[in-house]
Amino acid sequence: MPRLSAVGISGIHAGEDVNEIPAARRFILGGQVQGVGFRPFVFRLAVELGLRGWVKNAAGTVLIHAEGPDGTLDVFAHRLIEQAPAIARPVMVSDASKRAEGHDAFTILPSDQDAEPDIHVPPDYFACDDCLRELRDPADRRHNYPFINCTQCGPRYTLIDALPYDRPNTTMAGFPLCPDCRREYEDPANRRFHAEPLACPVCGPHLEFVDPQGRIAGDEAALAAAVSALKNGAIVAVKGVGGYHLMCDAASNTAVATLRQRKLRPGKPLAVMFPADGRLLADTVQLTPESEAMLNSPARPIVLSVMRKNHDLSSLIAPGLNEIGCFLPYSPLHHLLLDRFGGPLVATSGNISGEPVLTANEEAAGRLGRIADAFLHHNRPIVRPADDPIYRVIAGRPRPIRIGRGSAPLEIELPRTLPEPVIALGSHMKNSICLAWDKRVVISPHIGELDTARSLATLIRVAGDLQRLYQVQAQHLLLDRHPGYGYRSWARETGLPMTEIWHHRAHASALAWEFPGVEDWIVFAWDGVGLGEDGNLWGGEAFTGRPGDWRHAASLRPFRLAGGEKAAREPWRSAAALLWECGQPADFAPDLLRLAWQKGLNSPTSTSAGRLFDAAAALTGLCRTASFEGEGPMKLEAAASDDQTPTELPLQADPDGILRSDWSVLLPMLTDDTLAQADRAGRFHAALADALLAQAIALRERTGTNDVGLTGGVFQNRRLTEWVSDRLARHGFATHLPERIPVNDAGIGLGQVMEYLYRHE
Ligand SMILES: [Zn+2]
Ligand SMILES: [Zn+2]
Ligand SMILES: [Zn+2]
């Protein structure tokens, strides 16, 4: 073969003798290209096009040397991106002409170990169609095998112990490949070439069913026992990809009631997994094109969906609400379970309330022993937990409520370079943490509420793991200003320098990350409570400006919360606070509390929009005491009618120039028993949407800014958010709502990174 150097720019040298002149090109592809079957894909594509050369992994990128006619190389370059495996997200880093090396074949070369690492940790993937076909094929050697996977699917984040992503560095290290699997693993033309979690019934993990009668080993027998227990109304703890689920028959009132009673979870909605064909799902909830696409997206998330009038689920799945969280099977084990059970199953996180999901067999057996009648274990270890992600379609787009299995670690890019690697510890509630260095941010899956030692231990573990996996050592910690957050003392013990970031500025900056084109903002940060800059509990704030330079511009009329933190779970306290603030009686509240409130004992001043929702839920009688965080606002939203009869909240600037909306005019309407609960709830939503609009208009006059952002947990409320968006649009505002980062406190970590970044320009 003649050795000729390629000349000039590709594509312009096509001539009749083009096949006689091998050009050569060197491609570097970055992004998500490792652990996703990218090299076998490159190999097959090159062979199909008759190209020669080689491909290899090199420090987080894929390096390709290809020789052949120029026109074919162009086709190759195009198809490398266009036809990449579904779970790969390749980015062409460079494409350069090279001297031909005269190869006579295309080969996969061993990985480079040197060079600067640019590491990506893939999330866990749903079972692909090819594997599902084999799973259901009686002639296939993996027929009904619950751990079938390939380069295109299977666990990753929850099984990778260290990088590089090779089998000895995963929890599959303890499962030596059988000869058949080894052949597939080593054959570049096989779809399981270098599928690190590769397994089969001969060499891979297995199921075990355990109940008080004993243990049943063997995949078929264990699965059959679990299905029959579920059919008999039992609660079964099932080990999945990122942890255990507690499962039971979603149509059985008795089973669901028992689960609620044992989990001490009287009201919080339970997620439901539906059989894969989607027929029962469509019969149970109203699907929109957006929600259907989300349900089938690679993360296979839980999607909150409106229930149909007639459905077969137990009414105890989501009492007092009109939506349920539903999802489809994602792992082969879930497919087998749902296929055989033939109906929807409750599949709620196997944890103790608010803690991270349990992952280890022994620990799950101990801690879930009082809740579950039986266990379906398997012996593939889970390195770190990943709860199911949750989405809700709001204002026409799916918005994340929780990042988790299948979507985490979420890797994103900053608009500029950080001075040093940092870990942002996020919030106390809905905690998830960020590791950030250079221009990169890695967001952990949902960890949970930091109220217990176990939650904190998981945070510490994940912080250590992320640094080890990405080979980055944090030099600095970012924290919320609140002195009581669960990670405080651990953060001090690390000895690392720390920077504290105000809670609501972090909310605003997390939102701003998603819209780099916006230079000047009006951002509404409405949530439960976060420590404010005047020492009060904020939560109904508006800022103008940009990351690193926010000005507090608007808020609500302050009120003193009777009982402080307790108000989060006892909406009647917020209701009493509003009434007392206006000099009205609250006969439902104890006299002693009133006296304490008058003296200012344990009654911090607040401007929380979330607590206004709580108060409205209590005053309308929809929820006086909450069994879980957010129950009041959720019930208020679920009950609300379309009655938008306005109640105008007066808007005035306080002595510091901060605009304040006065909620006191809402009290007569909220306490008017002649009005239906649903209409009071509807009018309340409309009044707050109008109040936000009035603030936005006033701030636009002040600043000339037309871009409005909505952030904070209150905007998980679809009705409020959509009514706000409609109003803003009618008045010519551009409204921005996050689509990649949760609007709630799970976004605080990224916001802390953004605030830190812009202070160090
Ligand atoms: Zn597969
Ligand atoms: Zn095998
Ligand atoms: Zn918050």
Side-chain angles (χ1 to χ4, degrees):
M1 171 172 306
R3 287 187 171 229
L4 293 172
S5 60
V7 276
I9 298 159
S10 56
I12 57 169
H13 296 281
E16 60 265 21
D17 61 344
V18 67
N19 287 318
E20 301 304 312
I21 310 166
R25 297 250 287 275
R26 190 69 64 87
F27 304 95
I28 301 175
L29 288 114
Q32 199 89 266
V33 287
Q34 292 196 357
V36 293
F38 203 76
R39 285 174 303 159
F41 155 70
V42 172
F43 173 86
R44 285 193 297 270
L45 183 61
V47 170
E48 183 194 327
L49 293 174
L51 296 172
R52 298 166 301 278
W54 46 262
V55 57
K56 67 177 176 182
N57 277 343
T61 62
V62 167
L63 191 58
I64 303 166
H65 178 90
E67 300 184 354
D70 252 334
T72 312
L73 287 170
D74 282 342
V75 172
F76 181 62
H78 180 73
R79 288 175 63 181
L80 277 176
I81 302 293
E82 289 301 305
Q83 296 175 2
I87 56 174
R89 286 190 289 275
V91 178
M92 186 68 79
V93 176
S94 79
D95 170 358
S97 293
K98 279 277 173 186
R99 179 181 294 272
E101 295 171 349
H103 297 279
D104 51 12
F106 198 92
T107 49
I108 298 180
L109 299 180
S111 306
D112 264 359
Q113 295 299 343
D114 46 347
E116 274 290 287
D118 179 18
I119 293 157
H120 297 273
V121 180
D124 303 303
Y125 299 115
F126 66 96
C128 76
D129 288 346
D130 289 336
C131 285
L132 288 180
R133 235 185 322 275
E134 291 178 6
L135 183 74
R136 293 180 177 131
D137 175 3
D140 194 276
R141 71 189 190 90
R142 293 189 182 85
H143 180 228
N144 286 341
Y145 179 56
F147 305 96
I148 186 171
N149 67 76
C150 71
T151 53
Q152 295 305 294
C153 73
R156 300 286 189 274
Y157 171 76
T158 55
L159 128 173
I160 297 175
D161 191 39
L163 288 169
Y165 172 51
D166 287 325
R167 190 172 177 96
N169 286 336
T170 71
T171 62
M172 295 303 289
F175 299 92
L177 290 171
C178 70
D180 284 339
C181 285
R182 173 146 308 275
R183 247 190 310 283
E184 294 172 318
Y185 185 84
E186 289 173 352
D187 174 6
N190 194 284
R191 68 186 194 85
R192 293 198 168 90
F193 176 69
H194 277 266
E196 307 302 344
L198 179 56
C200 80
V202 175
C203 63
H206 290 290
L207 297 175
E208 184 188 47
F209 179 84
V210 178
D211 73 359
Q213 274 72 56
R215 296 170 178 272
I216 298 175
D219 295 333
E220 265 313 314
L223 193 66
V227 169
S228 114
L230 289 165
K231 285 193 168 156
N232 289 326
I235 294 158
V236 183
V238 177
K239 186 177 182 182
V241 173
Y244 280 78
H245 283 118
L246 287 163
M247 291 192 161
C248 72
D249 182 354
S252 159
N253 278 327
T254 325
V256 179
T258 308
L259 173 60
R260 287 201 171 284
Q261 194 190 349
R262 292 189 194 159
K263 213 186 172 198
L264 304 176
R265 188 166 155 169
K268 195 170 180 184
L270 301 165
V272 179
M273 190 182 276
F274 285 81
D277 66 14
R279 206 170 30 81
L280 282 167
L281 174 65
D283 287 346
T284 308
V285 297
Q286 300 169 14
L287 295 173
T288 64
E290 294 81 19
S291 64
E292 212 166 352
M294 204 64 222
L295 281 160
N296 288 291
S297 69
R300 290 287 196 278
I302 294 172
V303 178
L304 301 177
S305 310
V306 177
M307 276 181 279
R308 293 186 181 281
K309 286 250 151 39
N310 297 308
H311 60 76
D312 296 329
L313 295 188
S314 159
S315 58
L316 299 172
I317 299 281
L321 301 175
N322 49 17
E323 284 189 0
I324 56 161
C326 38
F327 58 147
L328 292 167
Y330 49 87
S331 80
L333 172 58
H334 295 129
H335 277 280
L336 292 171
L337 260 178
L338 270 291
D339 279 358
R340 289 170 192 210
F341 185 76
L345 285 169
V346 166
T348 185
S349 294
N351 60 2
I352 309 297
S353 64
E355 286 191 347
V357 64
L358 289 155
T359 54
N361 298 25
E362 294 293 304
E363 199 182 11
R367 299 190 48 113
L368 301 177
R370 278 179 301 108
I371 303 174
D373 298 299
F375 288 82
L376 186 59
H377 296 296
H378 62 68
N379 59 343
R380 185 181 69 208
I382 298 173
V383 189
R384 59 193 75 82
D387 245 316
D388 296 309
I390 306 178
Y391 281 77
R392 190 178 198 197
V393 177
I394 298 172
R397 309 280 304 168
R399 321 274 175 186
I401 304 284
R402 182 162 97 186
I403 295 173
R405 181 265 322 143
S407 59
L410 181 59
E411 299 183 355
I412 61 173
E413 195 172 307
L414 292 170
R416 55 184 66 175
T417 304
L418 277 164
E420 64 208 328
V422 301
I423 287 183
L425 295 173
S427 183
H428 180 86
M429 302 293 282
K430 298 188 163 50
N431 180 269
S432 89
I433 62 170
C434 296
L435 174 65
W437 71 102
D438 298 340
K439 288 177 103 173
R440 295 185 64 188
V441 183
V442 173
I443 305 178
S444 81
H446 170 82
I447 291 174
E449 331 298 6
L450 299 183
D451 291 319
T452 66
R454 206 178 152 266
S455 301
L456 185 62
T458 303
L459 181 154
I460 295 167
R461 169 102 203 254
V462 171
D465 271 4
L466 289 180
Q467 294 180 82
R468 201 164 48 82
L469 286 173
Y470 288 89
Q471 295 171 27
V472 173
Q473 188 75 46
Q475 306 293 324
H476 205 102
L477 292 181
L478 307 179
L479 298 76
D480 194 277
R481 281 267 185 167
H482 197 295
Y485 280 10
Y487 49 63
R488 274 276 165 168
S489 49
W490 172 73
R492 263 193 307 274
E493 282 163 24
T494 64
L496 291 174
M498 304 191 285
T499 297
E500 297 178 328
I501 310 283
W502 290 113
H503 189 89
H504 296 91
R505 287 174 191 255
H507 268 306
S509 285
L511 172 76
W513 170 81
E514 248 179 82
F515 303 94
V518 178
E519 288 181 359
D520 286 294
W521 284 95
I522 299 170
V523 174
F524 291 88
W526 286 13
D527 61 2
V529 292
L531 185 62
E533 295 160 34
D534 53 9
N536 295 333
L537 297 176
W538 285 9
E541 318 310 315
F543 297 85
T544 58
R546 62 200 68 79
D549 184 22
W550 296 111
R551 283 179 303 282
H552 190 215
S555 183
L556 302 172
R557 171 178 166 178
F559 55 95
R560 284 181 298 130
L561 268 177
E565 306 268 308
K566 281 190 190 152
R569 286 293 175 92
E570 297 179 6
W572 64 265
R573 290 175 181 271
S574 296
L578 298 193
L579 290 167
W580 291 337
E581 201 74 45
C582 296
Q584 292 177 41
D587 13 320
F588 51 84
D591 284 340
L592 273 176
L593 187 71
R594 167 122 211 251
L595 288 170
W597 181 86
Q598 277 172 332
K599 290 184 182 154
L601 297 173
N602 193 21
S603 302
T605 300
S606 178
T607 51
S608 162
R611 295 295 171 265
L612 281 191
F613 273 84
D614 278 335
L619 290 171
T620 50
L622 285 160
C623 179
R624 294 198 170 87
T625 304
S627 71
F628 61 94
E629 194 231 345
E631 182 174 3
M634 283 167 76
K635 287 197 163 156
L636 195 73
E637 182 193 352
S641 72
D642 283 328
D643 186 347
Q644 298 194 47
T645 311
T647 316
E648 196 185 327
L649 276 63
L651 182 64
Q652 266 191 329
D654 72 7
D656 297 325
I658 293 170
L659 297 169
R660 293 195 183 271
S661 298
D662 183 352
W663 40 262
S664 63
V665 291
L666 292 166
L667 295 181
M669 182 274 289
L670 288 171
T671 51
D672 181 355
D673 287 341
T674 65
L675 262 176
Q677 273 179 327
D679 293 340
R680 285 186 270 166
R683 291 183 189 190
F684 175 81
H685 280 80
L688 285 198
D690 287 334
L692 188 152
L693 174 68
Q695 290 190 353
I697 290 171
L699 293 176
R700 176 164 64 183
E701 281 167 13
R702 209 186 264 184
T703 60
T705 306
N706 211 41
D707 288 286
V708 173
L710 306 177
T711 184
V714 168
F715 295 107
Q716 295 170 112
N717 180 319
R718 174 165 52 221
R719 182 173 296 266
L720 176 77
T721 305
E722 292 183 348
W723 283 1
V724 163
S725 304
D726 289 348
R727 283 161 170 76
L728 288 169
R730 278 205 302 274
H731 287 79
F733 288 97
T735 308
H736 304 285
L737 276 163
E739 282 179 44
R740 296 197 59 198
I741 308 297
V743 78
N744 57 42
D745 276 10
I748 290 290
L750 173 62
Q752 291 167 344
V753 172
M754 284 288 283
E755 278 293 287
Y756 186 69
L757 180 68
Y758 278 88
R759 283 183 202 179
H760 290 80
E761 293 188 39

